[in-house]
Amino acid sequence: MTLEEALDALSARIEPGRADGMAKYHKGKREYLGIANPDVNELTKKWRSDLDVNSRVCLAKELWYSDIFEARLAASKLLTQARIRPDDAAWELIKSWVPDFDSWSIADHACMAGQKRLVADPTRLDEIEAWTTSDHMWTRRAALVITLPWTKQNNPKQAELDARERILGWASSYVDDHTWFIQKSISWWLRQLGKHDAARVSSFLDQYGDAMKPFARKDAARELPKA
């Protein structure tokens, strides 16, 4: 499938008048076609089944660099799959997108693809750690969003617990950064962890909660048992 064919397929799903509302909501300075997310999902699901790994990676790269909002979502969704073998090219492409992040929606979709690759190879956390000291706010935020799978294990193995503690260390280094999106990323990680390990979240908040913005501290504690 060529980029032109993919964009034609996306354009066939345009809803008249939708693009203006999307542009106002997301505020990114790029083209918006005006396509509902379920339509992007439907198209990319078919493309994943029709294309081999190399073709998916190549198409995802072209879609991303078109800088069209829905095309960037489609690029991410093309690579959001638990089993991709080999996956080195997909992982390298996802990492290359991170410096381009400038909106939560695009960043979160790309990070969902990245989550699958991290779970497939947790040694890649070593690469993510470098993101935590980036000058680019969206890269720092992505370090927590892409590691959300480590909040979700009900019966974590020791290696998973070690990774969880490592990531909580990154979160603790963020608490003095009161940028809204950074604070929200901390609270998101803690809120999800609170569903599975409330005691650890309580401990984190006891130690660092006073340094967090009130909205983030409240959000982080949302899944904790009520006193």
Side-chain angles (χ1 to χ4, degrees), residues 6-211:
L7 291 178
D8 284 347
L10 286 167
S11 296
R13 304 296 184 100
I14 289 174
E15 297 180 17
R18 187 182 183 91
D20 288 343
M22 291 175 63
K24 290 177 182 177
Y25 178 72
H26 292 289
K27 299 181 175 65
K29 296 180 179 179
R30 57 177 47 87
E31 181 179 357
Y32 295 81
L33 298 177
I35 306 169
N37 199 46
D39 286 329
V40 181
N41 286 339
E42 183 179 336
L43 287 171
T44 51
K45 182 178 180 180
K46 183 176 188 304
W47 297 346
R48 285 198 306 267
S49 66
D50 290 347
L51 301 173
D52 61 27
V53 171
N54 286 339
S55 297
R56 269 183 277 158
V57 170
C58 289
L59 180 58
K61 183 176 182 179
E62 291 183 311
L63 285 166
W64 184 271
Y65 287 109
S66 73
D67 200 24
I68 298 169
F69 179 80
E70 292 90 343
R72 286 198 163 184
L73 299 192
S76 301
K77 292 172 187 291
L78 267 175
L79 302 183
T80 305
Q81 185 174 342
R83 294 188 179 183
I84 299 178
R85 295 192 179 95
D87 75 344
D88 287 344
W91 173 239
E92 291 300 320
L93 181 57
I94 292 165
K95 287 193 300 176
S96 76
W97 293 341
V98 176
D100 296 334
F101 289 173
D102 60 3
S103 79
W104 64 267
S105 184
I106 289 174
D108 289 358
H109 278 86
C111 283
M112 287 176 64
Q115 288 171 12
K116 305 294 186 183
R117 309 281 50 83
L118 278 182
V119 171
D121 183 358
T123 66
R124 289 168 172 159
L125 287 171
D126 292 344
E127 300 173 73
I128 303 304
E129 187 158 16
W131 298 5
T132 66
T133 56
S134 172
D135 292 334
H136 183 227
M137 181 274 290
W138 292 100
T139 298
R140 296 196 307 279
R141 175 184 181 272
L144 293 187
V145 178
I146 204 170
T147 54
L148 281 167
W150 278 270
T151 67
K152 298 176 182 179
Q153 299 105 341
N154 283 316
N155 298 293
K157 298 176 182 178
Q158 188 58 51
E160 294 167 334
L161 287 170
D162 292 344
R164 181 181 291 177
E165 289 303 311
R166 182 182 188 181
I167 299 161
L168 284 168
W170 303 346
S172 71
S173 73
Y174 286 4
V175 295
D176 290 327
D177 183 341
H178 286 181
T179 306
W180 192 91
F181 278 109
I182 294 296
Q183 290 286 305
K184 187 64 176 176
S185 70
I186 301 169
S187 70
W188 186 2
W189 216 93
L190 294 172
R191 185 179 73 249
Q192 293 301 312
L193 180 59
K195 298 175 184 179
H196 305 276
D197 191 346
R200 185 63 185 92
V201 174
S202 293
S203 175
F204 184 99
L205 292 175
D206 286 345
Q207 186 171 3
Y208 300 107
D210 287 346

